[in-house]
Every structure is written in C-alpha cells, then in structure tokens.
C-alpha cells in the first residue's frame, strides 16, 4: 500500500502547495486594497459638505469593504483547505501502518475503515473549500469592476459605462 500512500500524499501535498500559492496571491491583492480602503476613509473624513465626491467616496468605501471581506473569507478557506489536506496525508500515513486486511481483527478493520473515511472526507472537504474560495475571488473580481467606474464617477469627462469606454478605445 506504499504506492497508494505516495499517490494520496503526493496529491495532498500538491493541493497544499497550490493553496499556499493561491493564498499568497489573494494576500497580495488584499494588502493594497486595504491600504486604498483606509485612504478613502481618511479622505471621506476630510469632506464635510455633501458633494459628488463625498458620494463617490462612500460608494468606493462600500465596494472596498465588500471586496476585503470576500478576500478575507477566501484566505481563511484556503487555510482550511491546507489543514484538510494535512489531515488527508495523516489518515493515509496512519493507514499504512496496519497489516494487510486479511490479517486484521474486527477492531483493526474498523479502525482502518475509519481512517479511510477520514481521508476521503478530508480530501473532499479540501476540494469543496477550494471551489468556494475560488468562487469568492471571482465574485470579488466582479465587484472590483464597479470600483473602476466609481473611481471616476465624479469626473464627467471620463465617466461612463466600462463597456462603452472599452469599445471606444478598441482599434477600428
């Protein structure tokens, strides 16, 4: 069963590495977004009058808050992905120390079955949590498009629908 362990462990280690890279990417997006969020909040505090810029700032702050929450949740889920992958490796490693199935007693067979269930549940949870994390990041990217428009909403000469602007900038 050593080849099976190597296969399971190798796959789980690959998942851990991929999740760590993904988590680093999410963090690299989070830090500047949080800095921008803080600077927008500071700018809003400086505006006492109700102006178009103040409204734009409020909208941008709302958008950045939503983005930051999504990125934070995605990062947390990726941490859980890595823990589930480690549990998968642990269950597969523990299963290797058991003698062949035909030499096991009833308790040994039950323990081996429990380890198999734990391993399957852990890897399934890791994959499902990874899918949810990717979905959160995709949702965050969609919200980011609103921030692009909101940034210049108070500037009539450059505001407009992003698709209209992209079409105008496209070569003929």
């Amino acid at each position: 069963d050593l080849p099976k362990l190597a296969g399971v462990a190798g796959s789980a280690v690959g998942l851990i590495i991929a999740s760590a890279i993904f988590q680093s990417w999410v963090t690299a997006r989070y830090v500047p977004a949080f800095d921008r969020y803080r600077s927008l909040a500071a700018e809003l505090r400086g505006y006492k009058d109700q102006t178009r810029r103040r409204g734009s700032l409020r909208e941008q702050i709302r958008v950045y808050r939503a983005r930051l929450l999504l990125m934070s949740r995605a990062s947390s889920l990726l941490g859980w992905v890595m823990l589930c992958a480690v549990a998968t490796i642990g269950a597969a490693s523990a299963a290797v120390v058991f003698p062949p199935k035909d030499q096991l007693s009833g308790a040994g067979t039950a323990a081996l079955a429990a380890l198999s269930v734990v391993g399957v549940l852990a890897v399934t949870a890791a994959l499902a949590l990874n899918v949810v994390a990717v979905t959160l990041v995709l949702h965050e990217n969609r919200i980011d498009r609103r921030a692009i428009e909101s940034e210049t909403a108070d500037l009539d000469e450059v505001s407009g629908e992003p698709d209209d602007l992209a079409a105008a900038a496209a070569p003929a």
Side-chain angles (χ1 to χ4, degrees):
D1 283 37
L2 196 53
K4 287 182 184 177
L5 170 64
V8 171
S11 298
V13 168
L15 183 58
I16 291 169
I17 292 168
S19 298
I21 292 168
F22 186 24
Q23 190 174 43
S24 295
W25 180 79
V26 170
T27 301
R29 289 177 54 88
Y30 184 91
V31 171
F34 186 73
D35 287 343
R36 181 70 180 137
Y37 176 75
R38 289 179 60 190
S39 69
L40 289 168
E43 187 177 347
L44 181 63
R45 287 184 189 101
Y47 277 90
K48 301 301 177 200
D49 300 329
Q50 291 294 330
T51 63
R52 272 180 84 183
R53 179 66 183 154
R54 186 173 174 81
S56 174
L57 288 170
R58 278 196 302 263
E59 174 62 16
Q60 288 179 66
I61 289 169
R62 188 186 67 71
V63 167
Y64 272 95
R65 183 182 307 128
R67 289 182 60 213
L68 289 167
L69 287 171
L70 289 168
M71 285 188 276
S72 177
R73 288 179 183 147
S75 183
S76 289
L77 287 175
L78 290 167
W80 283 105
V81 167
M82 288 183 262
L83 288 174
C84 288
V86 168
T88 301
I89 293 169
S93 299
V96 167
V97 301
F98 282 86
K101 288 181 186 179
D102 58 350
Q103 297 177 6
L104 288 175
S105 66
T109 302
L112 186 58
L115 284 173
S116 295
V117 169
V118 167
V120 167
L121 290 176
V123 76
T124 302
L127 294 173
L129 291 170
N130 206 16
V131 167
V132 174
V134 168
T135 302
L136 290 174
V137 170
L138 289 172
H139 184 60
E140 181 269 330
N141 284 331
R142 197 181 56 140
I143 291 172
D144 189 31
R145 284 182 254 151
R146 281 192 254 159
I148 293 168
E149 179 59 25
S150 181
E151 181 65 30
T152 59
D154 59 330
L155 303 173
D156 292 332
E157 59 270 10
V158 294
S159 66
E161 290 298 316
D163 292 337
D164 296 342
L165 295 173

